[in-house]
Amino acid sequence: MGSAPGGRPTGSAHGGEAGAEVRQVARVILLDPHDRILLMHGHEPDDPTDTWWFTPGGGLEGDETREQAALRELAEETGLTDVELGPVLWQRHCSFPFAGRQWHQDEWYYLARTRDTGPVPGPQALTELETRSLSGLRWWTSAELSVAHETVYPIRLAELLRTLLDEGPPRTPVVLAPEIVQGAPATGAQ
């Protein structure tokens, strides 16, 4: 448990707040046998009209590795446990307002595969914040993602996924440009 939904940055910038605590996060690019990617649908807890799609994952707990966190978060958020975790594809730093505070994250995106093609079981162990801010899961084809009018994070996910499917995983993780949103977090959130 303990995942801040999605990493919601909407623009790019260099750097971040000096001295801000950076949360270590593992995210999962989960593909099925048809190369569809599983994304979660989230929203600001106090404003269900402020929505976006994002990859499963969340913060490391205790002394777990990023790989352990990726698998734990995937199981908690989707109910899927029969997955093969692959290499780190991408890394990014992001900062964004969510649920009344500014989040600063160092995210590593792992490739994972599942043989399952049926409906996703669904969340198994969500935090209270996740329960208030998640509204569903969906498999997306690369083509659907490339023409989506909805907000998807990371912001270049459609392009990144197409490159992954065309060229395979990179030899070393690709460092994505930082995605930073400055702004006052929503008021009234806990």
Side-chain angles (χ1 to χ4, degrees):
M1 290 183 231
S3 122
R8 310 189 31 200
T10 58
S12 295
H14 299 19
E17 290 180 30
E21 181 181 337
V22 177
R23 189 165 173 258
Q24 303 303 305
V25 171
R27 297 209 165 278
V28 180
I29 302 301
L30 182 64
L31 301 178
D32 73 0
H34 305 291
D35 286 336
R36 296 180 303 170
I37 185 172
L38 183 66
L39 296 179
M40 302 176 68
H41 195 223
H43 57 84
E44 184 67 38
D46 294 329
D47 183 3
T49 64
D50 183 6
T51 69
W52 58 91
W53 292 90
F54 62 102
T55 60
L60 278 63
E61 292 182 357
D63 62 354
E64 72 183 347
T65 66
R66 286 195 194 250
E67 292 86 357
Q68 291 167 332
L71 291 171
R72 175 187 49 77
E73 287 285 344
L74 186 63
E76 290 175 356
E77 294 175 346
T78 70
L80 295 170
T81 57
D82 185 18
V83 300
E84 181 181 327
L85 192 65
V88 177
L89 301 170
W90 316 309
Q91 297 173 341
R92 81 166 178 166
H93 290 277
C94 61
S95 177
F96 53 92
F98 175 74
R101 66 173 268 216
Q102 190 76 19
W103 297 79
H104 306 279
Q105 299 189 158
D106 174 23
E107 299 183 337
W108 291 21
Y109 289 79
Y110 287 86
L111 175 61
R113 290 270 185 185
T114 181
R115 289 183 287 277
D116 294 335
T117 58
V120 177
Q124 304 296 305
L126 297 180
T127 65
E128 184 270 336
L129 179 58
E130 290 169 329
T131 300
R132 290 185 350 191
S133 60
L134 294 177
S135 54
L137 300 161
R138 177 181 162 200
W139 291 105
W140 293 73
T141 66
S142 175
E144 289 170 333
L145 197 55
S146 68
V147 297
H149 294 290
E150 294 141 302
T151 303
V152 178
Y153 295 111
I155 57 172
R156 293 179 44 223
L157 185 57
E159 171 191 339
L160 293 165
L161 179 61
R162 185 72 263 152
T163 300
L164 172 65
L165 295 175
D166 289 346
E167 301 174 10
R171 293 175 116 157
T172 59
V174 174
V175 177
L176 305 178
E179 296 182 27
I180 311 295
V181 170
Q182 299 294 335
T187 58
Q190 304 294 320

